[in-house]
Amino acid sequence: MRTKNTLRSVFASCLVLTAAMGFARADDGVLRVGTEGDAPQFSMADANGNVTGFDADIANGICAELKVKCKFVVQTFSSLVPSMDKDRFDIIISGLGITNERMKKIDYSIPYATTPQYFVVPKDSPFVGLKTLPEIEKALAGKTIGVVNGTTYAQFIKKHIPTADLKTYDATTQQNSDLATGRLDAAFGDSPTWVDFLGSPDGANFARIDVKVTGTDDHEALGYGMGVGLRKGNAELKTKLDAALCDMINSGKVKAASENWFKDDYTIPCKK
């Protein structure tokens, strides 16, 4: 598990990149990609700033389609949209859900993938055997629930379990640490996060409530799937991103990346 100091060093090294407008810098053909770097299976950065995971595969696939080089900028998830507005990078690829609220601030590519969300609780919790979302919402009323700050999951809890004691975290690892040490009654997150956690020593005494939650349960809170985020008004970049993603979806590249990291196909068909 990386420390906060490591994340700061990665972040600091990324900030030395010079800012530029447009979809890629014409002088060196670089597309700057903002990503979290601390969300296992989605986006994982090492101490040298090297990024791997599903998000990295999507980004590198887009850059290959556009014939440019990806340059990753690693930051906390909640800081990605504000930092893009300050031109620290050109696009966001970080499991970014398309939501009505975010669409007020940024533009999106076409959606390319979606993930189910689950609640995770201790194995000996009476909540493990719950069978429906309404049962979960009732059982967790007034309980302490953890989510990653700035995610659509936080909005879902606020709306559907308003009496919950909501704890937010800047990083998935911080959330899971509090879950493992008993500071949370439950945590709410996406399927790949839980596959990683439940397969670790810290997750050995925890279980997923086997009720899948997706955008179909609440588009307003959970969005319409993942998209690439970009600054408003950049029509040229959006057109290029949409075309690149559609090619990747139709060729099976998004499916291959999804099955590699999540053992499942999260692809959303291209409707362009």
Side-chain angles (χ1 to χ4, degrees):
M1 185 182 297
R2 296 190 312 282
T3 65
K4 290 184 179 179
N5 288 336
T6 299
L7 280 175
R8 289 194 187 104
S9 68
V10 173
F11 173 56
S13 68
C14 291
L15 288 184
V16 301
L17 297 173
T18 55
M21 299 299 288
F23 89 88
R25 299 187 324 196
D27 57 343
D28 56 7
V30 172
L31 183 65
R32 299 168 300 160
V33 182
T35 194
E36 179 180 358
D38 191 28
Q41 308 310 312
F42 271 103
S43 178
M44 299 165 286
D46 64 20
N48 296 317
N50 299 311
V51 182
T52 58
F54 179 67
D55 293 329
D57 286 355
I58 297 299
N60 287 323
I62 289 172
C63 287
E65 293 279 343
L66 300 183
K67 295 180 172 56
V68 296
K69 179 182 178 181
C70 279
K71 185 68 175 181
F72 291 99
V73 181
V74 178
Q75 299 190 182
T76 59
F77 186 88
S78 59
S79 72
L80 288 172
V81 171
S83 292
M84 185 172 67
D85 286 341
K86 295 176 182 177
D87 196 38
R88 288 178 178 164
F89 37 82
D90 305 301
I91 62 174
I92 299 170
I93 302 181
S94 196
L96 190 68
I98 301 171
T99 68
N100 294 328
E101 186 62 29
R102 286 192 185 126
M103 282 191 284
K104 296 175 184 177
K105 301 176 182 178
I106 63 175
D107 285 340
Y108 281 96
S109 69
I110 59 170
Y112 59 87
T114 188
T115 59
Q117 292 87 49
Y118 296 93
F119 290 88
V120 164
V121 296
K123 281 184 177 179
D124 59 1
S125 168
F127 308 141
V128 171
L130 297 175
K131 300 298 183 184
T132 67
L133 184 55
E135 288 178 345
I136 294 173
E137 293 170 354
K138 181 178 179 180
L140 292 181
K143 303 299 183 182
T144 304
I145 303 174
V147 295
V148 175
N149 191 35
T151 62
T152 55
Y153 315 141
Q155 297 303 315
F156 184 84
I157 298 299
K158 289 177 182 178
K159 180 177 178 180
H160 291 267
I161 315 179
T163 62
D165 178 14
L166 184 64
K167 302 295 185 184
T168 59
Y169 300 87
D170 284 335
T172 302
T173 49
Q174 295 169 0
Q175 169 197 270
N176 292 353
S177 177
D178 270 9
L179 182 64
T181 54
R183 295 187 180 95
L184 301 172
D185 296 306
F188 184 58
D190 54 66
S191 176
T193 295
W194 297 135
V195 168
D196 186 74
F197 174 70
L198 295 174
S200 71
D202 282 347
N205 294 320
F206 292 83
R208 192 181 72 184
I209 300 177
D210 199 21
V211 175
K212 182 183 293 187
V213 182
T214 69
T216 59
D217 294 298
D218 187 343
H219 281 309
E220 183 179 336
L222 294 177
Y224 302 84
M226 297 175 224
V228 176
L230 64 155
R231 284 187 292 276
K232 278 192 169 293
N234 197 336
E236 178 188 4
L237 176 55
K238 176 172 169 52
T239 298
K240 292 177 182 292
L241 291 172
D242 288 350
L245 284 166
C246 208
D247 287 345
M248 291 172 64
I249 290 167
N250 291 338
S251 68
K253 290 180 181 178
V254 174
K255 178 181 179 180
S258 172
E259 290 182 338
N260 177 53
W261 292 103
F262 309 131
K263 312 306 178 188
D264 196 3
D265 182 9
Y266 291 177
T267 307
I268 295 177
C270 176
K271 296 181 180 179
K272 191 171 172 292

